[in-house]
Amino acid sequence: MVSARQLRKGLPPQRGKDGALRKALLKWFAEARRPLPWRERYDPYQVWISEIMLQQTQVETVLPYFARWMAAFPDVAAVAGAPQEELLKAWEGLGYYSRARNLGRAARRIVTDHGGVLPASPEVLRSLPGIGPYTAGAIASIGFNISTPAVDGNVSRVLGRLFALPDPVNTPRGQARVWEIAARLVPVRNARAFNEGLMELGALVCRARAPACNACPLANHCAAYARGTPEAFPRKQPRARRRGLRGVLLLLGRGKRVLLRKRPGEGLWGGLWEIPWLERRRGEGCAAALARLLDGLELPLCAPPRKLGVVDHGLTHIQMHLDCYRAEIKEEHSSARASTPSGQPLRWAAPGTLRKLPLARLSHKAIALGWEPAHQRTDPGGGAPRRTDPGGGPAPRPVGKRGKMV
Ligand code: ADE
């Protein structure tokens, strides 16, 4: 990684202007900073966990996760010693599960290679799994008060506006420019408060939409404000549209249990359990897709699957639309396979087990459409979607039930 000093080299000194901007930001942050739990002691371990959780996730969402995580895993050694399923369970609902898997990997590396102590150097931090340039800069500056830049989405927006940067900030050129400016601005002694101040300003004042310029401590330093078009910055290159995915999902019951499939270790929802589903092929109807899903499981259904409804689920690059079905196999049926034909582990989970296993949010949404053990059902296959929230984990977001019964 390029160091702050290297990045600063060759840049015109702007001491007067930059100094006034720094001072205004630091003054504002001292008054406006939110009392967040990882700001109580600035313990580097806590800063690390908070930074990983805050990637792609709002502070309010992170707070309960952070509290539960610290109760379960109070230090690096606790993370290093935890089975991956426990880490994933604690992460359930936050999404981007590679973050939790990488926390486990990085914690084990910190124990084996760094005596169990989180390194302070951004370059060394950067060599750990799941720690990129932003997170390395954030841990080093916020956790250790080392003078190094940390540029995330909020900081890119703030600097893109302050300097009315012509290059889109979500391009390599735009990012390089933003990092250069951040490196030039970060003070030698007060890096923690300065970097956090930029992040806080982006979260509270210099928001993506409707920035509160009249309440901004940097308004008279801001080139976008001076032009009268703050929302025209930062410049951004439009993102590719999300790919649509249509598929079928099957809640397969056996007495009180429901069939779960384990995701492969890497990639989307890696290591989590899920209700089996698959993407429909071009021109393939739901019935054919269901038959393909069941193919090879060798499970005799009591009756054809019934439609429960539809789950829509948005991911960064994919918009999923799944028709959800429910079917039963006989409780006494004993030939339950341990894995799919392609080798993914399967298990029949009773409600208690369901609460303990890390489960993809998509599966929580499908369960909320109406799965409960067959013998408890009062309204076979119909009625309003019931919440059978397995507790423990996050409440699935409400879903509309749009499908017709078949
Ligand atoms: N976003 C990421 N890290 C943050 C922090 N330390 N404070 C506020 N927002 C953040």
Side-chain angles (χ1 to χ4, degrees), residues 34-48:
R34 290 168 290 180
L36 301 173
W38 48 90
R39 291 179 178 169
E40 281 167 20
R41 289 187 289 122
Y42 287 111
D43 167 47
Y45 166 69
Q46 293 195 352
V47 170
W48 172 35

Side-chain angles (χ1 to χ4, degrees), residues 56 96 238-246 279 312-321 365 397:
Q56 332 271 353
Y96 302 95
R239 279 228 208 124
R241 273 170 59 106
R242 283 182 185 171
R243 172 175 91 85
L245 181 158
R246 299 183 82 83
E279 180 172 6
D312 288 304
H313 191 70
L315 300 166
T316 314
H317 303 295
I318 304 173
Q319 182 61 47
M320 302 175 80
H321 178 90
K365 285 184 177 179
R397 289 199 209 111

Side-chain angles (χ1 to χ4, degrees), residues 123 172 189 198 206 260 345:
E123 289 76 21
R189 266 191 290 280
L198 281 181
C206 193
L260 297 182

Side-chain angles (χ1 to χ4, degrees), residues 42 138-148 187-194:
Y42 287 111
I139 298 170
S141 61
I142 301 173
F144 296 95
N145 208 12
I146 285 175
S147 177
T148 194
V188 175
R189 266 191 290 280
N190 248 339
R192 167 184 291 150
F194 180 81

Side-chain angles (χ1 to χ4, degrees), residues 64 73 92 111 181 236 248 295 322 346 364 383:
F73 314 110
E92 189 185 79
V111 167
I181 294 173
K236 277 205 169 174
V248 292
D295 207 28
L322 299 185
L346 293 169
H364 279 298

Side-chain angles (χ1 to χ4, degrees), residues 131-364:
I131 300 191
Y134 162 73
T135 310
I139 298 170
S141 61
I142 301 173
F144 296 95
N145 208 12
I146 285 175
S147 177
T148 194
V151 175
D152 66 353
N154 277 345
V155 173
S156 294
R157 182 169 63 254
V158 171
L159 297 179
R161 280 192 183 136
L162 268 177
F163 295 87
L165 297 180
D167 289 313
V169 294
N170 57 345
T171 59
R173 244 175 98 102
Q175 271 297 289
R177 188 73 193 108
V178 170
W179 276 90
E180 270 173 25
I181 294 173
R184 187 187 85 205
L185 291 175
V186 65
V188 175
R189 266 191 290 280
N190 248 339
R192 167 184 291 150
F194 180 81
N195 283 353
E196 275 207 306
L198 281 181
M199 292 170 197
E200 198 80 335
L201 193 72
L204 302 182
V205 176
C206 193
R207 298 175 300 237
R209 270 176 292 265
C213 299
N214 50 359
C216 181
L218 304 184
N220 57 9
H221 299 267
C222 182
Y225 182 66
R227 291 181 188 202
T229 54
E231 282 191 80
F233 293 91
R235 299 247 192 262
K236 277 205 169 174
Q237 198 160 78
R239 279 228 208 124
R241 273 170 59 106
R242 283 182 185 171
R243 172 175 91 85
L245 181 158
R246 299 183 82 83
V248 292
L249 175 148
L250 184 61
L251 284 148
L252 197 52
R254 177 169 162 239
K256 288 184 188 168
R257 294 158 195 264
V258 65
L259 185 67
L260 297 182
R261 176 176 74 183
K262 193 169 186 175
R263 304 275 312 171
E266 294 303 320
L268 178 64
W269 299 314
L272 267 72
W273 290 89
E274 66 180 359
I275 305 290
W277 63 274
L278 57 67
E279 180 172 6
R280 282 158 57 188
R281 292 177 178 150
R282 189 184 289 267
E284 185 180 46
C286 287
L290 277 173
R292 196 156 56 80
L293 184 58
L294 282 161
D295 207 28
L297 294 179
E298 295 156 16
L299 297 170
L301 302 186
C302 297
R306 300 181 303 275
K307 185 151 176 186
L308 284 178
V310 165
V311 163
D312 288 304
H313 191 70
L315 300 166
T316 314
H317 303 295
I318 304 173
Q319 182 61 47
M320 302 175 80
H321 178 90
L322 299 185
D323 290 282
C324 299
Y325 293 80
R326 178 190 167 122
E328 248 73 48
I329 66 160
K330 291 211 172 70
E331 186 158 8
E332 59 275 17
H333 183 77
S334 60
S335 76
R337 293 181 56 117
S339 64
T340 64
S342 63
Q344 286 175 269
L346 293 169
R347 70 187 288 174
W348 292 95
T353 315
L354 216 47
R355 268 194 288 280
K356 290 193 194 115
L357 293 175
L359 205 62
R361 194 202 292 263
L362 172 68
S363 301
H364 279 298

